[in-house]
């Protein structure tokens, strides 16, 4: 069963996929836009890792 954490991670993955597709198809019109898209991907992946780490911490605290 998916919980809130998994739902957020799934949404982040979908957005990252869209941004990667934009980069792969050359939709960025300048180097600045390219850097911006890369920064967005990096930020989203950081958030995903943070959310999944928080989920693990909460699950571990429930076991104690």
């Amino acid at each position: 069963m998916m919980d809130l954490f998994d739902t957020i991670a799934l949404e982040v993955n979908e957005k990252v996929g869209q941004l990667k597709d934009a980069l792969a198809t050359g939709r960025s019109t300048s180097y600045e836009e390219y850097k911006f898209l890369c920064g967005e991907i990096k930020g989203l992946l950081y958030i995903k890792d943070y959310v999944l780490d928080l989920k693990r911490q909460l699950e571990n605290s429930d076991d104690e």
Side-chain angles (χ1 to χ4, degrees), residues 23 28-39:
L23 288 174
S28 59
T29 57
S30 66
Y31 183 64
E32 287 76 25
E33 188 175 353
Y34 169 81
K35 290 191 316 184
F36 178 81
L37 291 173
C38 289

Side-chain angles (χ1 to χ4, degrees), residues 10-60:
L10 181 63
E11 291 292 322
V12 167
N13 282 338
E14 288 178 17
K15 181 63 177 175
V16 167
Q18 292 169 2
L19 293 170
K20 285 181 177 180
D21 288 345
L23 288 174
T25 58
R27 283 189 249 167
S28 59
T29 57
S30 66
Y31 183 64
E32 287 76 25
E33 188 175 353
Y34 169 81
K35 290 191 316 184
F36 178 81
L37 291 173
C38 289
E40 237 184 315
I41 290 169
K42 185 176 179 180
L44 286 166
L45 292 175
Y46 174 82
I47 292 297
K48 183 181 98 175
D49 289 344
Y50 181 81
V51 165
L52 292 177
D53 188 46
L54 182 59
K55 176 184 176 181
R56 279 189 290 276
Q57 289 177 19
L58 288 172
E59 287 173 348
N60 289 339

